[in-house]
Amino acid sequence: MSPHVIAGAEIGPEVVHRVVGAVVAAAHGPRGAPLLETVHETVYAETQRLADEPPGPRTASDQAFIAQLKRALPRAGEHELERRVREIVAHYADEISGRFDRRVYAVATRMLPGALGRLLGGGAVEERLLLEGELEALRSAVAHGTVALVPTHVSNLDSLIMGWAIFRLGLPPFAYAAGLNLFENPLLSFFMNHLGAYTVDRKKHDPLYLATLKEYATTLLARGQHGLWFPGGTRSRSGDVEKGLKLGLLGTLPAALARSLEAGRSTGMYVVPCTLTYPLVLEASSLVADFLRREGGPHYVELDDEFARPRRWAAFFEGLRALDLRVHVRFGAPMDIVGNPVDASGRSLDPRGRPIDVRGYLSVRGHLTPDAARDAEYTREVAERVAHAYHQGTVALPTSVLAWAVFERARRDRPQADLFRLLRGIGPQTAFERAALCHDVERLIARLKVLASEGAVQLAPELVAGSAAAVIERGLKTFATYHVTPVLEPAGHRIAVGDPNLLYYYRNRLSGLPLEEATA
Amino acid sequence: MSTRVTVLGAGNWGTTLAALAGSNGHPTCVWTRSAEQAAELNGQRTNRAARLSLTVPDAVRATTDLDGALAGAELVIVALPSQAFREVMARASRSLEPEQLLVHGTKGLELGTHARMSEIVRAETAVRQLGVVAGPNLAGEIAAGLPAATVAASPFPRVVETVKGVLSSSRLRVFAARDVLGVELCGALKNVVAIAAGMADEMHIGENAKALLVTRGMLELTRLAFALGAEPETMSGLAGIGDLMVTCASPRSRNHRVGAALARGQPLDVALAELGMVAEGVWASRSARALAGRHGVELPLFEHIDRVLHEGLRPREALDALMQLEPGRDVPRLKSPKAWALPGRRPTA
């Protein structure tokens, strides 16, 4: 298959045409916002946003764009307003659109494995990044239709890892919806742009931006372009596996399928969840600090995280190499736009395995019929199933199991404390008998084995084969490698908590699983 | 425009719904397991087993062929007892298609799994455009043409609109709602409160005491439903307080009759045998207790009724125990758990 991502220039005019058409039609309808109101909303939202943006060339050009809009509005008639709406939408479409370049893709995919391999501690990337799960089903979904690959979001490394995974599996390139912040680094930006990434600015909330972004994603999918995005929106702050997913881009799937069917394409539209599990997380300290700050107090402070600090990168990869640690990239089973499983030939199946025609979900009396409320409900359902698949694909590791056991011990000592009081109360003096923890870890592993046999979670090889004592040892070694303060430290026959916030962060990877009883 | 309707179940509610759809001119098919019942509906146009005095309109046709009944239906209405629901859905799944709309009128939870009926439909079939019909709807009154209202709840506007078109008439108003979870929980759990009301009536403990039981029951129901994700506003609607009023006030309601029989000292199996129909509250109390335990919600009234039903506690003892509980706030505030609330110590409503 030739590597090709549909570039912004190819679909830009269609996107602008469709968005402007819909906005103008709505303005003339009984319930739609008048054009002037729509443009005002953009000007207002953008003015608010830009007031908080740090100075830079992008901010300056956005400010100039809004300023000339403001000047033009008082004199604008209906035609002029329509022209302005077109101008705004074209401006957004241009910002969103990717600039895929075949040559850059070819060079980058040749370089990526080597570069990633060196980063990950030398040697083959395959040894560090384990591609697991429904790989054949993913390949078959790609062959039979258009795939939306939706991974959990743990670290900024996820983008690189997913890029490598797609290449390694021999899949065609995916259009990747990436946060605008990733484009601020000139080198990353160059590759992102040319590898088929398009930008998502989470700070823009005005209806024209959201409509343009959605239309861009819909048009790509409808034309058969595979897509990749993180429905969690941002990296998980608390370390939890995401539960509440953002519905925006997932919500483009029903319309994209309908458009593709209308155009006479008989291919399917599939969602493939993917769970990333890291034994250590590069940005864990900043992420959990941010989470606690947000939940504990009213003020949100912008991150300056480890991702921006090369020395932390080096320490992180050094840790992975020294301990022979592995990142698990686990693909879930493909599902259709309402969450049904699909078979090897891409057909949707009902819960009893009978092939069904997915077209029916979008039809009334046999005809494809648009219905935004219906599609929104399908999207909620599919998001729920994706979140469920994330949990099923999560790999329980020595770090998360040990963190869980220690955290529960700490909770038991302070049963009345809420999370913040509990974390404040844990200090260097907080230590637990290794023997007692060994007992807890043993019970946890037994419980996790039952859950794994039910398909609720995956187990790392260390948990399947090793003793509880070995799991604790492995966890301690891993925790001692990378973080400035070790999460946990051996102290004679006891184990002491070094960093309570990180303890909470790593423990959270297993939250959502019914494990409380095992450590009661 | 007429809608092709299929009703699964020819009990008194299923037959009533089919008759409503038929009298509005919609071609309606009723599926029943019983060949005699189907023959009676098609021949004499009556349904004596459902204890209804109505004549079914000509637009209604009965069959025992499940696949045939479902083929081509635009709206499927399921009115089956909760404990038979999964089995029939599993059989129906081979004939249900993605385009079809489905609502159910079953007020119960599945024993053991505590699943709601819409969850069973999702788990067993390809249908996604789902809803529920519930409210203060004594089938006998509606069949007799007395004025009434019901709620059609679904997040799919087309489901609500289609149900309105099929069931609405000058005698029956159909209100719209989105909260399927809330409507289903109200429908299932109010039956437990109705059993308490039946006991109170039979024990002659006075109107004050009955109001006390019903109100505390409603608050407990709201607390549990909220913890499970329902919208508390649903409880003040027709499917909530409306249904609770009719079930608790009417000695004709099945669950009320079971409560009264227990208060007379009848064992549960005898009371159910005499009733001859399903009383959903008998099983819903089990589910309520299990769900409350899972979500850390306290339900003293539900717990005591459940103990009367299944653990041999006498109604009088249950009443005495409830009267001795330390009264807390009348209407406690409902609070959503924080994102960081630790399981096992989740703040309860």
Side-chain angles (χ1 to χ4, degrees):
Chain A
M1 208 173 297
S2 77
H4 181 57
V5 169
I6 294 173
E10 290 173 64
I11 61 164
E14 179 182 343
V15 170
V16 175
H17 177 74
R18 281 185 185 269
V19 174
V20 174
V23 170
V24 170
H28 294 139
R31 289 202 201 146
L35 289 183
L36 183 62
E37 198 177 305
T38 305
V39 179
H40 272 166
E41 275 194 66
T42 296
V43 170
Y44 177 76
E46 279 296 273
T47 309
Q48 297 283 99
R49 179 183 72 82
L50 289 163
D52 295 336
E53 282 293 291
R58 193 190 290 274
T59 308
S61 89
D62 284 356
Q63 276 166 339
F65 181 72
I66 293 301
Q68 59 94 14
L69 264 180
K70 267 187 192 167
R71 281 194 299 275
L73 284 184
R75 301 179 305 280
E78 232 8 51
H79 275 295
E80 173 64 8
L81 280 172
E82 193 175 321
R83 198 178 72 77
R84 293 293 174 177
V85 167
R86 190 176 303 279
E87 189 183 20
I88 297 169
V89 173
H91 170 77
Y92 283 154
D94 185 57
E95 178 193 296
I96 292 165
S97 72
R99 287 166 186 75
F100 181 77
D101 187 321
R102 231 169 260 252
R103 286 159 307 174
V104 179
Y105 186 81
V107 173
T109 47
R110 265 204 307 278
M111 282 167 44
L112 187 63
L116 207 53
R118 274 192 294 285
L119 263 182
L120 294 172
V125 186
E126 286 85 347
E127 289 171 16
R128 289 283 162 263
L129 302 182
L130 301 180
L131 304 183
E132 304 169 333
E134 307 279 346
L135 303 179
E136 271 321 301
L138 169 60
R139 286 198 185 94
S140 137
V142 165
H144 288 100
T146 311
V147 169
L149 184 56
V150 286
T152 56
H153 205 359
V154 182
S155 162
N156 278 337
L157 291 174
D158 297 349
S159 316
L160 289 176
I161 289 177
M162 291 311 296
W164 177 80
I166 287 167
F167 168 75
R168 183 73 187 80
L169 292 171
L171 305 176
F174 278 57
Y176 165 38
L180 196 58
N181 54 324
L182 285 186
F183 287 78
E184 253 124 51
N185 175 322
L187 185 71
L188 264 183
S189 168
F190 176 78
F191 278 100
M192 290 278 182
N193 265 321
H194 292 83
L195 288 173
Y198 58 97
T199 68
V200 176
D201 187 349
R202 286 188 294 268
K203 291 181 188 157
K204 288 201 180 84
H205 297 294
D206 66 288
L208 286 181
Y209 178 76
L210 297 176
T212 311
L213 176 63
K214 266 191 110 163
E215 185 52 53
Y216 193 90
T218 309
T219 306
L220 282 178
L221 290 164
R223 290 206 184 180
Q225 171 61 57
H226 309 296
L228 169 91
W229 67 85
F230 297 102
T234 64
R235 292 166 291 170
S236 163
R237 290 322 197 238
S238 62
D240 273 7
V241 180
E242 293 99 322
K243 284 183 282 280
L245 304 184
K246 299 227 183 280
L247 304 177
L249 289 179
L250 280 174
T252 58
L253 293 165
L257 177 61
R259 213 179 278 173
S260 151
L261 290 170
E262 259 165 9
R265 298 162 59 109
S266 58
T267 56
M269 191 75 59
Y270 310 111
V271 184
V272 177
C274 177
T275 312
L276 289 136
T277 314
Y278 292 74
L280 287 171
V281 175
L282 178 68
E283 311 99 307
S285 293
S286 325
L287 290 172
V288 73
D290 185 43
F291 172 78
L292 295 170
R293 215 164 23 229
R294 273 202 232 179
E295 292 294 325
H299 302 296
Y300 166 56
V301 182
E302 195 64 37
L303 282 176
D304 160 32
D305 69 31
E306 293 86 341
F307 195 73
R309 289 181 238 145
R311 250 188 245 161
R312 298 305 297 147
W313 278 63
F316 177 77
F317 290 114
E318 175 55 32
L320 286 192
R321 184 179 56 199
L323 284 178
D324 191 22
L325 295 172
R326 294 175 172 85
V327 179
H328 296 259
V329 182
R330 192 168 191 94
F331 294 90
M335 47 183 105
D336 70 12
I337 57 151
V338 301
N340 288 311
V342 294
D343 69 8
S345 46
R347 291 176 307 178
S348 294
L349 302 175
D350 81 355
R352 316 196 87 74
R354 177 180 63 113
I356 48 172
D357 186 359
V358 73
R359 189 187 182 98
Y361 289 117
L362 304 169
S363 303
V364 175
R365 299 191 170 181
H367 300 287
L368 289 168
T369 309
D371 180 343
R374 171 199 68 198
D375 293 354
E377 201 47 37
Y378 289 157
T379 304
R380 247 187 293 280
E381 174 126 17
V382 103
E384 243 172 60
R385 291 184 191 222
V386 167
H388 185 63
Y390 283 167
H391 279 92
Q392 293 178 316
T394 299
V395 183
L397 299 172
T399 40
S400 47
V401 170
L402 179 59
W404 182 281
V406 174
F407 190 81
E408 288 304 304
R409 281 264 156 194
R411 264 182 86 187
R412 217 177 307 170
D413 291 351
R414 295 172 192 75
Q416 296 308 316
D418 71 16
L419 175 67
F420 293 91
R421 222 174 280 160
L422 182 66
L423 293 178
R424 271 199 304 274
I426 302 177
Q429 77 293 346
T430 313
F432 301 99
E433 292 292 332
R434 193 186 275 254
L437 283 172
C438 204
H439 173 71
D440 292 352
V441 168
E442 214 161 274
R443 288 180 59 187
L444 267 176
I445 294 175
R447 179 80 184 116
L448 283 163
K449 282 184 176 165
V450 174
L451 292 169
S453 72
E454 292 163 358
V457 70
Q458 307 297 321
L459 297 187
E462 295 97 321
L463 298 187
V464 179
S467 64
V471 167
I472 292 181
E473 219 34 61
R474 181 77 175 161
L476 284 174
K477 277 210 174 112
T478 310
F479 278 148
T481 350
Y482 158 67
H483 292 295
V484 180
T485 313
V487 183
L488 292 168
E489 278 178 296
H493 52 87
R494 292 158 78 86
I495 292 173
V497 180
D499 186 330
N501 293 0
L502 282 177
L503 180 72
Y504 175 65
Y505 177 88
Y506 283 105
R507 165 250 185 231
N508 281 346
R509 208 61 191 162
L510 300 179
S511 75
L513 288 171
L515 292 176
E516 272 77 15
E517 276 171 33
T519 40
Chain B
M1 192 164 29
S2 74
T3 302
R4 286 187 64 181
V5 181
T6 290
V7 179
L8 302 185
N12 66 2
W13 189 220
T15 309
T16 303
L17 289 168
L20 286 171
S23 54
N24 282 339
H26 302 284
T28 303
C29 178
V30 188
W31 172 81
T32 164
R33 291 176 206 262
S34 154
E36 296 86 65
Q37 210 175 16
E40 185 194 334
L41 277 163
N42 288 333
Q44 293 95 297
R45 314 220 61 79
T46 57
N47 188 349
R48 280 190 299 273
R51 303 182 188 192
L52 283 175
S53 52
L54 89 170
T55 305
V56 175
D58 291 342
V60 177
R61 162 182 78 82
T63 177
T64 55
D65 169 15
L66 184 59
D67 298 327
L70 292 168
E74 192 171 346
L75 175 69
V76 178
I77 303 177
V78 189
L80 295 162
S82 59
Q83 308 314 321
F85 204 95
R86 188 181 294 273
E87 180 242 315
V88 176
M89 281 298 107
R91 282 174 55 204
S93 70
R94 61 176 181 243
S95 305
L96 286 168
E97 298 297 337
E99 199 186 316
Q100 287 172 313
L101 313 179
L102 186 150
V103 292
H104 74 84
T106 301
K107 294 171 179 172
L109 299 169
E110 187 178 48
L111 199 58
T113 65
H114 319 304
R116 292 175 288 112
M117 299 305 113
S118 64
E119 291 178 306
I120 296 177
V121 176
R122 268 203 197 83
E124 299 291 337
T125 79
V127 174
R128 285 292 185 286
Q129 301 181 70
L130 288 174
V132 54
V133 176
N137 301 141
L138 295 174
E141 290 189 7
I142 294 179
L146 296 172
T150 195
V151 176
S154 173
F156 294 93
R158 195 163 82 86
V159 171
V160 173
E161 287 312 311
T162 306
V163 171
K164 275 188 165 185
V166 166
L167 298 180
S168 290
S169 71
S170 59
R171 302 276 91 189
L172 183 73
R173 300 187 69 194
V174 180
F175 286 82
R178 271 187 63 90
D179 182 17
V180 172
L181 170 66
V183 170
E184 286 187 314
L185 288 174
C186 282
L189 299 177
K190 56 90 194 175
N191 287 326
V192 183
V193 186
I195 292 175
M199 287 178 190
D201 278 345
E202 187 66 26
M203 290 193 289
H204 301 292
I205 53 175
E207 297 304 321
N208 290 339
K210 190 177 164 191
L212 167 66
L213 285 177
V214 173
T215 311
R216 296 308 300 174
M218 187 62 183
L219 286 168
E220 289 186 13
L221 193 165
T222 306
R223 209 180 306 165
L224 179 58
F226 181 75
L228 290 166
E231 294 163 17
E233 294 81 4
T234 303
M235 313 303 143
S236 51
L238 282 168
I241 193 78
D243 202 1
L244 189 71
M245 279 183 74
V246 76
T247 336
C248 292
S250 164
R252 291 167 60 191
S253 113
R254 303 173 192 184
N255 293 284
H256 189 282
R257 281 154 70 183
V258 169
L262 291 170
R264 282 195 299 275
Q266 271 188 357
L268 181 62
D269 49 352
V270 177
L272 290 177
E274 268 187 20
L275 183 68
M277 290 185 287
V278 178
E280 295 281 3
V282 172
W283 307 115
S285 73
R286 299 261 82 176
S287 296
R289 261 181 97 175
L291 290 170
R294 202 184 288 170
H295 292 267
V297 182
E298 283 182 22
L299 304 180
L301 178 76
F302 276 70
E303 185 189 325
H304 281 84
I305 300 300
D306 185 63
R307 289 176 57 198
V308 170
L309 286 166
H310 303 287
E311 293 170 13
L313 184 70
R314 279 202 281 263
R316 177 63 66 179
E317 292 168 346
L319 181 70
D320 291 344
L322 285 168
M323 288 305 288
Q324 276 166 27
L325 291 177
E326 184 63 34
R329 247 178 116 132
D330 177 21
V331 185
R333 277 177 51 197
L334 298 167
K335 283 187 240 154
S336 300
K338 298 274 191 203
W340 43 264
L342 297 164
R345 307 199 325 97
R346 189 193 294 247
T348 54

